[in-house]
């Protein structure tokens, strides 16, 4: 079977590309790479400097829904790995400072890790995730 390595990019449909780009830059520290105004959509490309992950924000000129809903077929959420629980707590403090609604830092019921869940301006669910080392119990 052929193989692949990591995700090269993630494109998200948003209602307002400029508003979302500002949010992702201010909240997650992404950097703007470019904007393309195409016949049927606007696309703003952002890059996460530390990992090189590319996130495209797509604003279609014809929108059929107002907000994201993970209960519809398609994307459920996007998870970003953090190095330890302390980093989750730092993100929790940052999101609170920025006024971004979020869950508390929560251990998963399975004990496989710990999460901090939040949403972007279009209600797309995002998550910071610390996968717990196998030899470490829940805190």
């Amino acid at each position: 079977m052929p193989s692949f390595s990591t995700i090269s990019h993630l494109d998200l449909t948003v209602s307002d590309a400029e508003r979302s780009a500002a949010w992702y830059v201010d909240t997650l520290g992404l950097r703007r790479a470019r904007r393309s105004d195409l016949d049927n959509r606007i696309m703003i490309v952002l890059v996460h400097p530390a990992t090189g992950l590319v996130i495209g924000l797509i604003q279609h000129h014809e929108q059929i829904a107002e907000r994201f809903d993970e209960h519809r077929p398609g994307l459920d959420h996007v998870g970003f790995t953090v190095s330890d629980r302390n980093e989750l707590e730092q993100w929790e403090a940052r999101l609170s400072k920025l006024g971004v609604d979020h869950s508390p830092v929560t251990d998963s019921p399975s004990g496989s890790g710990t999460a901090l869940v939040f949403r972007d301006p279009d209600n797309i669910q995002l998550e910071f995730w610390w996968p717990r080392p196998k030899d470490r119990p829940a805190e």
Side-chain angles (χ1 to χ4, degrees):
M1 174 186 300
S3 183
F4 62 91
S5 57
T6 62
I7 294 175
S8 67
H9 65 278
L10 176 65
D11 286 350
L12 302 172
T13 297
V14 298
S15 60
D16 182 330
E18 286 295 340
R19 176 187 68 175
S20 291
W23 187 88
Y24 279 87
V25 167
D26 293 344
T27 305
L28 300 182
L30 302 180
R31 297 219 172 115
R32 274 180 86 117
R34 70 177 177 279
R35 175 183 166 136
S36 298
D37 290 276
L38 306 166
D39 289 340
N40 60 350
R41 69 190 181 281
I42 297 167
M43 179 175 66
I44 297 177
V45 177
L46 307 172
V47 178
H48 183 247
T51 63
L53 175 64
V54 173
I55 296 180
L57 302 173
I58 312 297
Q59 179 183 337
H60 295 278
H61 294 317
E62 284 191 43
Q63 296 181 18
I64 59 170
E66 291 186 23
R67 288 176 57 96
F68 172 81
D69 182 346
E70 65 270 15
H71 296 101
R72 289 185 215 142
L75 179 71
D76 187 85
H77 71 278
V78 177
F80 303 104
T81 303
V82 298
S83 61
D84 56 37
R85 188 183 181 100
N86 181 54
E87 200 164 24
L88 282 176
E89 291 166 357
Q90 290 175 34
W91 274 112
E92 182 177 31
R94 177 171 174 76
L95 295 175
S96 293
K97 181 179 177 183
L98 293 171
V100 175
D101 191 34
H102 59 81
S103 73
V105 171
T106 306
D107 294 321
S108 69
S110 68
S112 60
T114 306
L116 173 62
V117 178
F118 58 107
R119 292 180 182 270
D120 82 350
D122 283 291
N123 205 44
I124 297 173
Q125 183 174 310
L126 305 170
E127 173 183 274
F128 289 119
W129 174 255
W130 172 50
R132 183 168 295 100
K134 302 272 188 247
D135 60 345
R136 186 167 178 175
E139 295 181 14

